[in-house]
Amino acid sequence: MSQYTKGNWQAEAVGNEGKYCIHTGDVSLPFAHTFPNRYRRPQLSSEEAEANAHLIAAAPRMAQLLERLVNDGWNANISEEAKEILNTIP
């Protein structure tokens, strides 16, 4: 599972139109974007675009947590870390 972009992924608003970029700390080098899509039916809202951005940004931590779960089994530390990750997603 070492083929993804390493680092602390962050979701950051771009402007005030509900657009977000996902990057690893260098805003000038985003590797993903989310944005509202008013042409899609049903429309993708700014709130949904924000939630999607934060979900994408949480992916590396979720993958690491899942790997620990598979290797070590469930424990209280994993439970608390999972709650912390879920709280970052609006």
Side-chain angles (χ1 to χ4, degrees), residues 6-67:
K6 300 296 184 195
N8 180 24
W9 291 12
Q10 301 167 25
E12 186 167 331
V14 178
N16 59 0
E17 299 175 6
K19 298 177 184 177
Y20 286 81
C21 70
I22 294 88
H23 56 85
T24 59
D26 185 351
V27 201
S28 64
L29 296 171
F31 56 84
H33 292 88
T34 64
F35 51 90
N37 186 345
R38 291 169 182 81
Y39 303 105
R40 181 183 136 210
R41 296 289 181 253
Q43 292 183 348
L44 179 65
S45 68
S46 296
E47 293 80 13
E48 195 174 349
E50 178 184 10
N52 289 344
H54 287 280
L55 181 62
I56 293 166
R61 290 184 64 202
M62 290 189 293
Q64 291 167 355
L65 195 62
L66 184 58
E67 187 173 7

Side-chain angles (χ1 to χ4, degrees), residues 61 65 74 76-89:
R61 290 184 64 202
L65 195 62
W74 188 262
N77 290 337
I78 289 177
S79 179
E80 287 305 310
E81 204 169 328
K83 287 177 191 174
E84 180 185 317
I85 292 170
L86 287 174
N87 286 333
T88 67
I89 303 167

